[in-house]
């Protein structure tokens, strides 16, 4: 890793620390909120859990669209900040907010008008109670969509200027409002799925409102100029800027969407191995999410740091910080995973599953954790370097090819061959054939990181012009 004189570095170690640790906390808060929602929904009964989970599978795809657009806007804004063009960064912020808000209104209207036909078409034949719960939950979450879209965009803009502390504190507020609201509406007022949906709408609306006010004030952070959205009420669409946002947002959205669809397809394969495999996979997935949490946080930091370096024309520093942050991601994942893997059996004991299910979940979680310490940051943290440099189309192509040809393809191969006879060789129960899905996942990682490493060291990502 080349050495950059301290006096010339755009980010000190202290700057990186101030950026990364709130992102780690924010990721943890998001995970905690998801777990709390599941626990509280479960208290309403199986029909509610089924209805909410079905709608959430659709909502995840929609929210990922706005997260992808937020990433696109954040990269463009970060490059303008690095270029010392605060006015253009502010202009980009306004265009991003216009885009996500009006797009969310269109999707919301389409969802509300078509939900009675849409949900049966997507979910097929389900019990009437489940379908009724799905419809009621879907309508309220559609009404919350504009607030969710604006919240994601605002949070991305704060990260673009290096201020991750604001989005972390807002995540704390969302947890309080969401979890507290769930408890009030479900346990005090005895509402059904509405008691889960309304707190989501309330918390995201409050969060979006606060972030909009803070962006309007444009207060500087850590000695750096802030993005201000003053003048946002004078609506004017600048399609040249929107095109720049979409040049990153669309590939990122397609990548996330196809990845999610692939995961849903893989889940259907897991289901073919029986109830033991389904339960073990669910428990192991929770453990796996914790195992890569710091890597996700560092990936968000990379968008800010590398984006600003590219905007400043400091390509040597972009490469320097890319390598440094990748090293930090590895160190964080390893430091977290060692105690997690040592305690994996105790963690899985909280699920109170059968011995066979617990054993399979342990194999899945430990396999994932061990491989995450070796492969995950290069597979999922490194590509954010390319995205920050406007090379998002390459990451999209690699990710789609890898997901469908390697992960999904090998899942079917392992299903047909009983993991090339490994299940019989090790005298595993038939349910353990689901390990093939997790082995295929690591093969997907290895393919991705090979492509991303070649692209990174070839240096073509440095030549992608955005601003």
């Amino acid at each position: 890793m080349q050495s950059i004189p301290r006096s010339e570095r755009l980010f000190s170690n202290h700057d990186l620390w101030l950026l990364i640790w709130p992102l780690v906390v924010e990721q943890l808060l998001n995970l905690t909120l998801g777990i709390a929602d599941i626990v509280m929904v479960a208290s309403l009964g199986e029909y509610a859990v089924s209805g909410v989970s079905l709608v959430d599978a659709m909502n995840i795809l929609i929210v990922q669209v706005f997260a992808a657009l937020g990433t696109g806007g954040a990269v463009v804004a970060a490059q303008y900040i690095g270029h010392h063009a605060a006015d253009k960064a502010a202009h980009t912020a306004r265009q991003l907010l216009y885009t996500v808000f009006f797009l969310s209104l269109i999707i919301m209207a389409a969802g509300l008008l078509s939900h009675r036909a849409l949900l049966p078409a997507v979910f097929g034949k389900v019990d009437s109670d489940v379908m009724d719960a799905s419809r009621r939950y879907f309508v309220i979450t559609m009404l919350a969509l504009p607030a969710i879209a604006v919240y994601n965009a605002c949070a991305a803009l704060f990260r673009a200027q290096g201020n991750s502390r604001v989005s972390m504190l807002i995540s704390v507020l969302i947890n309080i409002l969401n979890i507290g609201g769930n408890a009030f509406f479900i346990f005090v007022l005895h509402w059904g799925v509405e008691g889960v949906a309304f707190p989501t709408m309330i918390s995201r609306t409050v969060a979006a409102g606060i972030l909009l006010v803070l962006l309007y004030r444009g207060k500087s952070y850590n000695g750096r100029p802030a993005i201000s959205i003053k003048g946002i009420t004078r609506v004017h669409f600048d399609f040249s800027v929107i095109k720049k946002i979409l040049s990153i947002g669309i590939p990122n959205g397609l990548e996330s969407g196809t990845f999610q669809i692939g995961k849903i397809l893989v889940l259907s394969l897991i289901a073919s191995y029986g109830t033991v495999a389904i339960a073990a996979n669910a428990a192991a997935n929770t453990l796996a999410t914790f195992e890569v949490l710091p890597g996700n946080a560092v990936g968000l930091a990379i968008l800010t740091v590398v984006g600003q370096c590219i905007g400043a024309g400091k390509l040597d520093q972009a490469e320097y910080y890319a390598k440094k942050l990748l090293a930090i991601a590895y160190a964080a994942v390893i430091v977290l995973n060692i105690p997690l893997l040592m305690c994996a059996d105790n963690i899985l004991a909280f699920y109170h599953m059968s011995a066979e299910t617990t054993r399979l979940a342990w194999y899945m979680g430990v396999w994932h954790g061990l491989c995450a310490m070796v492969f995950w940051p290069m597979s999922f943290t490194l590509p954010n370097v390319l995205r920050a440099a406007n090379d998002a189309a390459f990451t999209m192509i690699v990710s789609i090819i890898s997901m469908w040809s390697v992960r999904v393809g090998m899942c079917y191969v392992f299903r047909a061959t009983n993991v090339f006879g490994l299940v019989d060789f090790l005298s595993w129960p038939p349910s353990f054939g689901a390990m093939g899905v997790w082995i295929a996942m690591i093969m997907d990682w290895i393919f991705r990181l090979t492509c991303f490493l070649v692209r990174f060291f070839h240096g073509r990502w440095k030549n992608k012009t955005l601003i």
Side-chain angles (χ1 to χ4, degrees):
M1 186 163 61
Q2 74 272 35
S3 178
I4 306 292
R6 288 182 181 272
S7 59
E8 298 179 12
R9 295 178 189 176
L10 294 181
F11 294 86
S12 66
N13 290 335
H14 183 64
D15 292 333
L16 296 179
W17 168 250
L18 290 179
L19 177 62
I20 293 172
W21 79 260
L23 291 173
V24 173
V25 175
E26 183 180 349
Q27 294 292 305
L28 181 60
L29 288 169
N30 291 340
L31 183 57
T32 302
L33 180 60
I35 294 173
D37 273 350
I38 292 173
V39 171
M40 290 187 174
V41 171
S43 68
L44 296 173
E46 291 185 0
Y47 81 94
V49 174
S50 300
V52 169
S53 63
L54 287 173
V55 172
D56 277 344
M58 290 178 58
N59 286 345
I60 287 173
L61 286 174
I62 297 173
V63 171
Q64 282 180 343
V65 171
F66 297 107
L69 289 174
T71 297
V75 168
V76 178
Q79 290 201 15
Y80 277 129
I81 290 171
H83 197 63
H84 300 292
D87 56 335
K88 291 185 178 180
H91 183 57
T92 299
R94 291 191 290 271
Q95 295 303 311
L96 172 63
L97 290 170
Y98 295 150
T99 302
V100 299
F101 180 70
F102 283 102
L103 179 60
S104 69
L105 289 180
I106 293 171
I107 296 176
M108 179 186 72
L112 292 176
L113 291 173
S114 66
H115 75 279
R116 291 194 174 276
L118 176 66
L119 297 183
V122 174
F123 302 149
K125 292 183 178 180
V126 296
D127 291 343
S128 58
D129 287 344
V130 174
M131 182 56 67
D132 180 61
S134 296
R135 283 174 174 157
R136 288 184 283 128
Y137 183 71
F138 182 78
V139 167
I140 299 172
T141 54
M142 280 294 101
L143 292 173
L145 194 57
I148 292 172
V150 171
Y151 160 71
N152 280 325
C154 289
L157 289 170
F158 273 105
R159 296 187 200 107
Q161 55 192 309
N163 189 351
S164 57
R165 186 169 176 269
V166 164
S167 58
M168 177 197 70
L169 292 175
I170 291 297
S171 291
V172 174
L173 177 63
I174 287 175
N175 271 255
I176 294 172
L177 292 176
N178 217 129
I179 296 174
N182 287 348
F184 177 74
F185 287 119
I186 294 174
F187 301 129
V188 177
L189 298 184
H190 304 291
W191 286 13
V193 292
E194 294 88 350
V196 181
F198 270 111
T200 297
M201 182 169 66
I202 294 169
S203 62
R204 298 314 189 277
T205 302
V206 171
I210 293 173
L211 290 177
L212 283 172
V213 170
L214 293 176
L215 280 174
Y216 191 86
R217 289 173 56 192
K219 187 177 180 181
S220 62
Y221 174 75
N222 198 28
R224 299 176 183 272
I227 294 174
S228 173
I229 59 170
K230 289 180 179 178
I232 193 170
T233 54
R234 298 188 294 273
V235 179
H236 167 68
F237 286 92
D238 186 339
F239 291 100
S240 64
V241 174
I242 293 174
K243 182 179 178 181
K244 293 176 181 179
I245 294 172
L246 295 180
S247 69
I248 297 173
I250 289 178
N252 201 28
L254 288 173
E255 178 182 338
S256 299
T258 54
F259 186 80
Q260 187 65 30
I261 293 170
K263 286 180 68 176
I264 293 172
L265 181 59
V266 167
L267 280 176
S268 68
L269 280 173
I270 289 283
S272 70
Y273 290 100
T275 304
V276 167
I278 296 172
N281 184 72
N285 267 323
T286 301
L287 185 61
T289 304
F290 280 102
E291 290 170 347
V292 299
L293 187 148
N296 278 320
V298 176
L300 292 174
I302 280 178
L303 292 173
T304 298
V305 175
V306 174
Q308 290 194 22
C309 289
I310 294 290
K314 305 287 187 180
L315 300 182
D316 57 338
Q317 294 206 36
E319 183 174 349
Y320 168 79
Y321 283 114
K323 293 178 180 178
K324 183 169 185 173
L325 288 167
L326 187 62
I328 291 173
Y330 264 107
V333 170
I334 291 171
V335 168
L336 175 64
N337 272 261
I338 289 176
L340 268 181
L341 295 179
M342 292 175 64
C343 301
D345 51 350
N346 293 323
I347 294 172
L348 293 172
F350 283 102
Y351 286 87
H352 302 290
M353 300 179 294
S354 68
E356 180 181 333
T357 306
T358 301
R359 183 178 165 216
L360 177 55
W362 186 88
Y363 280 138
M364 291 173 171
V366 170
W367 169 253
H368 181 278
L370 290 173
C371 292
M373 292 190 286
V374 181
F375 304 123
W376 197 92
M378 283 189 289
S379 304
F380 294 96
T381 305
L382 178 60
N384 271 3
V385 175
L386 307 182
R387 295 186 185 101
N390 193 33
D391 203 11
F394 178 80
T395 65
M396 175 194 70
I397 293 169
V398 169
S399 297
I400 291 175
I401 291 174
S402 184
M403 181 69 186
W404 291 97
S405 64
V406 180
R407 184 180 299 202
V408 175
M410 288 307 300
C411 280
Y412 280 100
V413 170
F414 287 143
R415 184 72 177 92
T417 63
N418 216 13
V419 196
F420 291 126
L422 183 65
V423 175
D424 294 330
F425 178 77
L426 295 175
S427 300
W428 280 349
S431 60
F432 278 45
M435 274 299 298
V437 171
W438 290 70
I439 296 172
M441 176 180 13
I442 306 307
M443 296 175 70
D444 168 36
W445 294 3
I446 294 172
F447 180 86
R448 289 169 186 262
L449 72 86
T450 302
C451 295
F452 295 145
L453 282 174
V454 170
R455 186 73 164 188
F456 178 78
F457 285 110
H458 191 276
R460 292 184 63 182
W461 57 279
K462 299 178 185 178
N463 303 321
K464 299 288 182 177
T465 303
L466 182 61
I467 64 172

